[in-house]
Amino acid sequence: MKSVLELREAKRRGQKIAMLTCYDSTSAALVAQAGVDLILVGDSVAMTMHGHDDTLAADVDLMALHIAAVDRGLRQLSSVSPSSTQTSRWTRPMIVGDLPFLAHRMGREALMNAAARLMRAGAQILKVEGIDGSEDDLRYLIQSGVPVMGHIGLTPQSVHALGGWRVQGRDARAAEALLRQARALHECGVSALVLECVPAPLASQISQELEIPTIGIGAGAGCDGQVLVFQDVLGLQSHFKPKFVRRYLQGAEILTDALRRYVDDVRSQAFPAPDESFDLPARSPEAQA
Ligand code: KIV
C-alpha cells in the first residue's frame, strides 16, 4: 500500500487490510516480503523488545529509533534484486508509527514536535490512542498534513485507568461511548481506526457505519483489516497468548532448538568446520626458501 488514499479504496473494494507490528530492520524485511499492507511500529515495542510490563515506557526517542530501523530495513530490501528476496509479491508497506504515552496530551507544540520526529524517522501515518479531550489537537495535526490512525477500545496506554487488559464496550453504555469515539475520530479526519478488544458485533457495526477502514485486534472478522504483534504471530513468547492471537509458528521452540544445536556444536567442536574458517594465503616459493 503506497498511500493513505489506498486505505479507503481497499475498503470500498472489500479488500481486507493486513497489518503487523515490527520494530527492527530484519523483521521489517520479513514482514514486507510476506506482503503486508501496513507495518505498525507500535509502542508495544516497550514490552516485546525491552521487557516492560506495559507500553508506558516507550517515549518519542525510542519510537523514532525503531521507526528508523524499520525504514532502513525496507530501504535495504528495495535495493536488493527481486530474485534474492523470498518472494516477488512485496510492495513497500506504509509505516505506521505509534505516538507514545501522553505525547498528544502535553500541549500542541509537544505534539507537533513528536509528530515531526516520527515522520522524519520514516513513519507515513501516526497512530494515536483515544480521542476524548484531544479532538482539536488531532484535527490540527491532520490539517497540517499528517495522516492519523485512531485507536479505541482497549487502549494499552490507559491500561491503569481501564483496570487491566480487558475487553471494552461490553455493556450498552460502554458500547455507546465507543461508537461516539469512533464517529468523533471519523469526523476529525483520521485515515483508519484500530479497534482493540471490542466485541465482534460492535466492531462490525462501527466498521459498517464508517467510510474509513477499521483494523481489528481481538475485534472479530467484521473489521476491514486485522493487526497482530510480530512476536505473537510467530509464537516467540511462549508464556503469553491472548485469546485473539493465532500463532503461525511455534517460534520459541524452533528458535531455541536451533540455538541449542549451535551451543552443542561449539562444545563438541563440530563448529566451526574448516570451510567455515580462513586459511593463510598460499606462500610464494621465494618466501618459502
Ligand atoms: O503497539 C501496538 O502494538 C498496538 C497494537 C496492539 C494495535 O497498538
Side-chain angles (χ1 to χ4, degrees):
M1 210 156 272
K2 292 185 199 70
S3 80
V4 282
L5 306 179
E6 287 183 37
L7 285 171
R8 275 196 197 207
E9 199 36 52
K11 174 161 181 154
R12 258 197 296 273
R13 283 200 306 268
Q15 177 196 326
K16 297 280 183 182
I17 296 164
M19 177 157 95
L20 270 173
T21 73
C22 79
Y23 319 96
D24 65 86
S25 55
T26 308
S27 47
L30 298 177
V31 162
Q33 287 176 91
V36 293
D37 300 302
L38 300 165
I39 287 181
L40 170 62
V41 185
D43 59 0
S44 50
V45 67
M47 303 171 75
T48 54
M49 303 288 285
H50 295 274
H52 292 282
D53 291 335
D54 54 43
T55 61
L56 275 52
D59 61 12
V60 175
D61 288 343
L62 188 77
M63 295 312 302
L65 181 90
H66 286 279
I67 288 169
V70 167
D71 181 53
R72 281 193 296 271
L74 298 184
R75 281 174 203 273
Q76 281 163 2
L77 189 60
S78 309
S79 68
V80 297
S81 73
S83 59
S84 56
T85 56
Q86 287 295 312
T87 161
S88 58
R89 72 191 269 206
W90 88 283
T91 49
R92 191 189 154 106
M94 278 189 294
I95 299 178
V96 184
D98 239 345
L99 261 187
F101 182 52
L102 296 183
H104 59 301
R105 310 286 295 192
M106 295 197 241
R108 193 166 286 178
E109 195 179 336
L111 165 63
M112 298 310 281
N113 281 329
R117 285 277 313 279
L118 302 190
M119 298 295 280
R120 285 185 184 132
Q124 282 97 44
I125 314 179
L126 297 183
K127 182 167 76 59
V128 181
E129 291 191 12
I131 163 97
D132 294 344
S134 302
E135 294 86 343
D136 290 344
D137 285 334
L138 285 189
R139 215 172 278 117
Y140 184 79
L141 184 62
I142 293 165
Q143 284 168 359
S144 306
V146 177
V148 170
M149 180 178 284
H151 182 166
I152 58 173
L154 170 52
T155 42
Q157 292 170 12
S158 307
V159 65
H160 299 297
L162 297 175
W165 309 89
R166 338 160 158 252
V167 179
Q168 302 295 304
R170 274 197 149 142
D171 62 55
R173 234 172 98 181
E176 195 46 51
L178 283 180
L179 262 174
R180 178 183 54 71
Q181 291 177 346
R183 288 175 186 142
L185 280 160
H186 192 241
E187 191 270 319
C188 279
V190 300
S191 300
L193 178 61
V194 169
L195 300 173
E196 180 164 353
C197 290
V198 171
L202 176 59
S204 286
Q205 185 187 345
I206 294 174
S207 305
Q208 280 162 24
E209 185 178 317
L210 303 188
E211 280 167 33
I212 53 167
T214 58
I215 302 183
I217 174 162
C223 294
D224 303 302
Q226 300 292 328
V227 56
L228 282 176
V229 168
F230 182 86
Q231 281 73 2
D232 291 344
V233 168
L234 298 182
L236 297 179
Q237 309 184 110
S238 45
H239 61 284
F240 180 67
K241 187 191 167 303
K243 175 181 160 76
F244 56 78
V245 166
R246 183 180 295 178
R247 280 187 184 154
Y248 289 82
L249 190 73
Q250 300 302 328
E253 286 159 34
I254 291 169
L255 294 188
T256 308
D257 179 58
L259 298 171
R260 200 172 282 135
R261 285 188 286 117
Y262 161 74
V263 171
D264 289 348
D265 282 355
V266 169
R267 295 207 173 122
S268 68
Q269 300 182 39
F271 175 83
D275 65 356
E276 290 158 330
S277 309
F278 298 103
D279 217 338
L280 284 170
R283 293 209 291 159
S284 67
E286 300 84 61
Q288 283 173 18

